[in-house]
């Protein structure tokens, strides 16, 4: 007789808490920001600053302006989330906020 039971029955009833999802999103936003910084660093190494004097570079920025605006907005959102979550984390750790006090 073969009974079909789930391997881990506690997973379907698990409700994620905010305190467990904040560190995950903090790491994701940090990895995204590090990737952006590395990408721009490699671009500057590859093409150098002399390319900003060429007309084609400005034409490329003009025609891809919507893509650049979207990427800047996503980067600003990730930066602000990463900054505010880091400040919240520091305040929680060093001020005692969020801890249970012993009587």
């Amino acid at each position: 007789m073969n009974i079909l039971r789930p391997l881990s029955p506690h997973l379907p009833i698990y409700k994620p808490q905010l305190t467990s999802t904040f560190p995950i999103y903090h790491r994701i936003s940090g990895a995204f920001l590090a990737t952006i910084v590395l990408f721009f660093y490699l671009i500057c190494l590859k093409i150098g600053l002399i390319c900003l004097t060429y007309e084609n570079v400005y034409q490329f920025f003009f025609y891809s302006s919507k893509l650049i605006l979207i990427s800047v907005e996503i980067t600003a959102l990730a930066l602000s989330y990463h900054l505010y979550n880091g400040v919240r984390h520091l305040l929680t750790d060093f001020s005692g906020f969020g801890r249970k006090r012993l009587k």
Side-chain angles (χ1 to χ4, degrees):
M1 184 173 183
N2 205 0
I3 299 174
L4 298 175
R5 293 186 194 166
L7 293 176
S8 49
H10 65 281
L11 289 179
I13 60 171
Y14 177 73
K15 181 182 174 189
Q17 297 120 2
L18 282 178
T19 56
S20 64
T21 56
F22 279 156
I24 295 169
Y25 290 127
H26 188 75
R27 288 181 182 181
I28 290 171
S29 67
F32 174 74
L33 291 172
T35 304
I36 294 294
V37 167
L38 180 66
F39 174 73
F40 281 113
Y41 178 71
L42 291 176
I43 290 292
C44 286
L45 280 179
K46 178 72 177 163
I47 61 177
L49 294 177
I50 193 70
C51 75
L52 297 178
T53 60
Y54 294 125
E55 223 174 280
N56 294 336
V57 174
Y58 293 109
Q59 286 178 355
F60 171 74
F61 285 143
F62 178 74
Y63 289 120
S64 63
S65 62
K66 290 187 180 184
L67 179 64
I68 289 175
L69 284 176
I70 291 172
S71 63
V72 165
E73 288 175 1
I74 290 173
T75 304
L77 180 67
L79 182 66
S80 63
Y81 174 78
H82 195 75
L83 177 72
Y84 293 140
N85 194 25
V87 169
R88 182 199 59 83
H89 183 63
L90 287 174
L91 288 175
T92 303
D93 282 351
F94 293 120
S95 69
F97 178 74
R99 294 185 195 168
K100 292 182 179 177
R101 302 272 182 191
L102 296 175
K103 291 182 181 180

